[in-house]
Amino acid sequence: MQPRLLLSTLSFVHGASDKMNGCLFTDKTRRSLLVLTAAGLTLFALPGFASNCEDLATLHLPHTTITKAEVLSGGTFTPPTGQALADLPAFCRVTAVVRPSADSDIVVEIWMPESNWNQRFEGTGNGGFAGKISYGTLAEGLRRHYAVANTDMGMAMPPGANASIFINRPERWIDWGYRATHEMTVVAKQVLRAYYARDARHAYFVGCSTGGEQALMESQRYPDDYDGIVGGAAANNRTGVHVSILWNFAVNERTPASNLPAAARSLLTQAVVNACDGLDGVKDGVIADPEKCQFNPASLKCTSTNQESCLTASEVATAQQIYSGPVNPRTGKSLYPGLPRGSEFGWDGLVPAADAAPPYAPIFQWVFGPQWDWRQFDFDAQDAIFTQKLASMVNATSPDIDTFRAHGHKLLMYHGWSDWLVAPQESINYYNAVVQRDQSADARKSLGALDQSFRLFMVPGMAHCGGGPGATHFDTLGAVVDWVEHGVAPDKIIASKSPPGTTGGATESTLRRPLCPYPRTARHQGSGSTNDASSFACTR
């Protein structure tokens, strides 16, 4: 075959697959045609091309080993960890180990639909220290016809071990902080190109908590990895998040009387709702805008010896310190925002069990060694050492997303207003930092209005990445796809919540509310069902 004929044939097959994927030319048929057209002339064959899924096992990629490439027929898949996953289409499953440094050991999984691929790639995030593949996230993306990838972030731990095994291993901190996500993205795109014989039309990233940090790391460090990014409840100020968790444990442990028992937490929850529920024009058990809630726990302070329906002075002090967040005891400077009014229902996770360390304590051991005692933490000098040691590797706090924006990419952040683990105010702080940067230099004005590339949505009544009394089911990926591919910026996102005990689709009793771009909030307009999103308007 002559070179010009070969290139024309390749061009024809690519064009046909774009228009008739799933009809005359399926993804599998197109791959076979490409192998056929290239078979007679090695010089012009597509490099690294795989005629089928199993051939991907021989793909050679930098510092990467493909450990498995198999076709799964769909239906139910039982992963190595976790529950069986149902309702899956047939897909090509590829697993790989990526080692960009001598101490790296990053596991990546890539799932690619055998047919009806929507020609989009979705990178997905993790939670906590990661350490394993999030199979549920992979399944969710596959059901939506995305080619999807996830990574353990290089943090796999033997049974019974915790992240303290990474003491004195800074390459692992870098992998967890940002490198593993980028490596996953690069490898996945190369595998997709080899399998489908074309690049994805668009690439998206979706993550919450640690995944929210991954999202912001990508927009800041690797601005062309993704066309659209969704970052939820971002633990992007990673050192601050862990100092905050430690603070909330410490104030409960200050004295035996300081601990907030279940009865006190329940009393606080109800009192805050009673004080601030109606600020959005409707009483529904959800505080729409905690920034406007002025509830003071001192209003519950006991005034008599009967302490059954009030808080002791020590309990009031504990609540106030949780609301205020960690502060430097010497300077009084805030180290991280406090938890919001409306998050009290989740504070049981802040109360330490006997002899138990706070969640994620091993990150402090990376800095202070295996004998570190969390009860002796110094929120002045030790906080400074902790932040100085790790911030450059694990914090995604830079407001410089200029390149990401200049290239037309979109960033959508969201955060539950009732998050009791990662303070929602920190997402607002990041948003405001980007706004301030955007307004601080005329040179950056050429990027255009900030809200054409970056929007933040606060979710009333949502806890950490989900749950809580509010409407907490919504489609951020669909919103960012419309934004990237059709130029439709999300002026609101409809969230829903089904009544307790119901299953299946939405009904008349399903609660629907608009989520509004910050700083706007949804307010009832005085008429119409409070279950109907159209009865609410986004206002400042």
Side-chain angles (χ1 to χ4, degrees), residues 447-466:
L447 291 172
L450 180 63
D451 66 359
Q452 295 307 302
S453 56
F454 176 33
R455 296 191 180 194
L456 168 65
F457 292 80
M458 303 303 293
V459 187
M462 188 171 84
H464 187 61
C465 292

Side-chain angles (χ1 to χ4, degrees), residues 236-482:
N236 62 306
N237 184 346
R238 173 63 71 173
T239 55
V241 168
H242 292 291
V243 167
S244 170
I245 293 170
L246 188 59
W247 170 271
N248 291 329
F249 265 60
V251 298
N252 270 281
E253 281 264 315
R254 189 176 62 255
T255 68
S258 299
N259 187 280
L260 279 176
R265 298 194 299 272
S266 178
L267 182 63
L268 265 175
T269 297
Q270 192 57 55
V272 173
V273 170
N274 290 343
C276 300
D277 180 9
L279 295 178
D280 61 345
V282 60
K283 287 217 166 207
D284 56 1
V286 175
I287 300 172
D289 186 359
E291 287 185 307
K292 297 178 181 176
C293 181
Q294 302 300 315
F295 170 80
N296 187 340
S299 63
L300 298 177
K301 185 175 179 180
C302 299
T303 57
S304 67
T305 56
N306 182 2
Q307 299 183 353
E308 292 184 359
S309 59
C310 57
L311 300 182
T312 66
S314 293
E315 291 168 348
V316 168
T318 297
Q320 288 173 327
Q321 288 177 302
I322 293 173
Y323 289 139
S324 70
V327 297
N328 183 308
R330 177 176 58 84
T331 66
K333 178 184 176 182
S334 173
L335 303 177
Y336 191 79
L339 298 185
R341 272 76 171 168
S343 66
E344 299 80 8
F345 64 85
W347 286 8
D348 55 335
L350 310 180
V351 180
D355 300 320
Y360 316 114
I363 193 173
F364 289 95
Q365 294 176 319
W366 295 356
V367 176
F368 300 111
Q371 303 307 314
W372 172 77
D373 181 355
W374 71 270
R375 290 181 173 86
Q376 302 302 316
F377 185 76
D378 175 0
F379 288 90
D380 181 6
Q382 285 190 316
D383 172 79
I385 294 170
F386 177 65
T387 303
Q388 187 276 331
K389 183 79 170 181
L390 294 181
S392 65
M393 291 175 275
V394 303
N395 286 2
T397 53
S398 170
D400 182 0
I401 55 172
D402 295 359
T403 302
F404 180 84
R405 294 176 54 208
H407 291 182
H409 306 321
K410 312 299 182 185
L411 174 60
L412 190 159
M413 289 180 66
Y414 69 91
H415 208 135
W417 256 133
S418 295
D419 196 331
W420 52 268
L421 186 64
V422 177
Q425 182 63 45
E426 186 65 10
S427 283
I428 294 174
N429 290 349
Y430 181 74
Y431 173 83
N432 287 336
V434 177
V435 170
Q436 184 177 8
R437 175 181 175 81
D438 186 63
Q439 296 174 344
S440 64
D442 290 340
R444 283 189 284 272
K445 292 295 184 181
S446 61
L447 291 172
L450 180 63
D451 66 359
Q452 295 307 302
S453 56
F454 176 33
R455 296 191 180 194
L456 168 65
F457 292 80
M458 303 303 293
V459 187
M462 188 171 84
H464 187 61
C465 292
T472 60
H473 295 279
F474 47 92
D475 182 12
T476 50
L477 177 55
V480 84
V481 166
D482 281 345

Side-chain angles (χ1 to χ4, degrees), residues 55 75 85 121 136 289 352 362:
D55 288 345
L85 301 165
F121 165 58
D289 186 359

Side-chain angles (χ1 to χ4, degrees), residues 26 33 51 110 153 176 218 266 313 323 374-375 522:
T26 65
L33 282 170
S51 61
I110 305 149
M153 301 182 76
W176 180 61
E218 282 292 306
S266 178
Y323 289 139
W374 71 270
R375 290 181 173 86

